[in-house]
Amino acid sequence: MRVGLVLGEVWNGFRRNLSVVISVVLVTFVSLTFVGAAILMQLQIQQMKTFWFDRAQVAVYLCTDYDQSATCSGTDAGEEEIAAVQAALDSETLAPYIEDTFFVDHEQAYEEFTKQFEGNPIVEITRPEQLNQTFWIKLKDPSRSDIIQETFAGIPGVQSVSDQRSLLDRIFLFLGVASYTAIAIA
C-alpha cells in the first residue's frame, strides 16, 4: 500500500470538509470540558462536605429586647433563662451528645459583628443589645442535632435553634445540581 497516496487522500478529505472537521473538534472540546468540570466539581463537593460537616455547630439564639415570638416577650433573656439553658447543656441527658459549648454575650457578638462587617455602614447603626446572645454547641455526632433542637425549642428565653448543617445542605444541593447540569449539557 502506498503511504503517500493514503496521506494525500486524507489531506484532500480534510481540506474539502474543513468546516465539519472544525465543528467535530469544537464539539468534542466543549463536551469534554463540561465532563471535566463536572468531575472536578463533584470531587470538590465531597472534600468540602467532609471538611465542613464535621465542623458544623448548633446555635441556640437567646431572646433580645426586640423579639416578639412565642418564647420571647420583648425582653432580653435574663440570667435565670441563661442559667436554665446552661444547666440543660450541662445535664447528664445531653452530655453523651455534646463535645463542647461556649457562650457569646452581646458584647462578644458585637465585636465579631464589627470585624465581619468592617467598613460597612450597618456597623454604625447596630448596637450590641440588638445582637443575640448565643450558645454555640459542638456535637460529638453532628447528625444528631435534632436532639438539641427538640430540647430547646419552646423554652422561655430561647428565640431559635439553628443547625449549620441545614444551611450547608442547601449549598451542597445547589452545587450538586450544578455539576449534574454540566454533565447533562455535555
Side-chain angles (χ1 to χ4, degrees):
M1 196 153 126
R2 295 172 43 192
V3 176
L5 177 66
V6 172
L7 291 177
E9 288 300 315
V10 168
W11 175 252
N12 285 335
F14 276 144
R15 191 174 40 87
R16 280 188 220 124
N17 299 312
L18 185 61
S19 63
V20 173
V21 170
I22 291 172
S23 68
V24 167
V25 169
L26 287 176
V27 166
T28 304
F29 171 75
V30 169
S31 295
L32 289 177
T33 300
F34 278 109
V35 168
I39 291 170
L40 288 174
M41 283 178 69
Q42 280 299 321
L43 291 172
Q44 187 63 36
I45 290 168
Q46 291 305 318
Q47 284 181 346
M48 288 171 58
K49 276 185 180 179
T50 303
F51 182 80
W52 286 109
F53 270 173
D54 292 339
R55 288 166 177 74
Q57 296 178 340
V58 178
V60 177
Y61 295 106
L62 302 178
C63 297
T64 65
D65 290 333
Y66 305 97
D67 293 327
Q68 294 293 333
S69 63
T71 56
C72 299
S73 59
T75 59
D76 200 27
E79 291 298 320
E80 61 279 348
E81 293 161 330
I82 295 171
V85 172
Q86 184 66 56
L89 290 171
D90 294 337
S91 71
E92 290 186 27
T93 308
L94 293 178
Y97 306 106
I98 296 176
E99 183 177 316
D100 190 26
T101 64
F102 64 94
F103 179 71
V104 176
D105 63 14
H106 291 299
E107 294 301 323
Q108 292 167 328
Y110 185 72
E111 286 176 27
E112 187 63 33
F113 180 81
T114 55
K115 285 179 195 172
Q116 211 170 15
F117 294 99
E118 185 177 340
N120 193 325
I122 196 163
V123 174
E124 297 170 14
I125 61 171
T126 304
R127 295 186 311 278
E129 61 271 5
Q130 292 174 307
L131 302 174
N132 295 79
Q133 298 181 90
T134 309
F135 281 97
W136 288 96
I137 305 161
K138 181 165 176 50
L139 299 173
K140 291 178 182 174
D141 179 8
S143 65
R144 304 295 306 265
S145 64
D146 55 335
I147 294 170
I148 302 298
Q149 289 177 332
E150 290 172 9
T151 302
F152 293 105
I155 288 187
V158 174
Q159 178 197 36
S160 63
V161 180
S162 174
D163 179 13
Q164 290 178 338
R165 285 175 57 108
S166 64
L167 301 173
L168 292 173
D169 281 338
R170 291 183 209 148
I171 293 169
F172 292 132
L173 175 66
F174 174 76
L175 291 174
V177 167
S179 68
Y180 292 128
T181 302
I183 290 174
I185 290 172

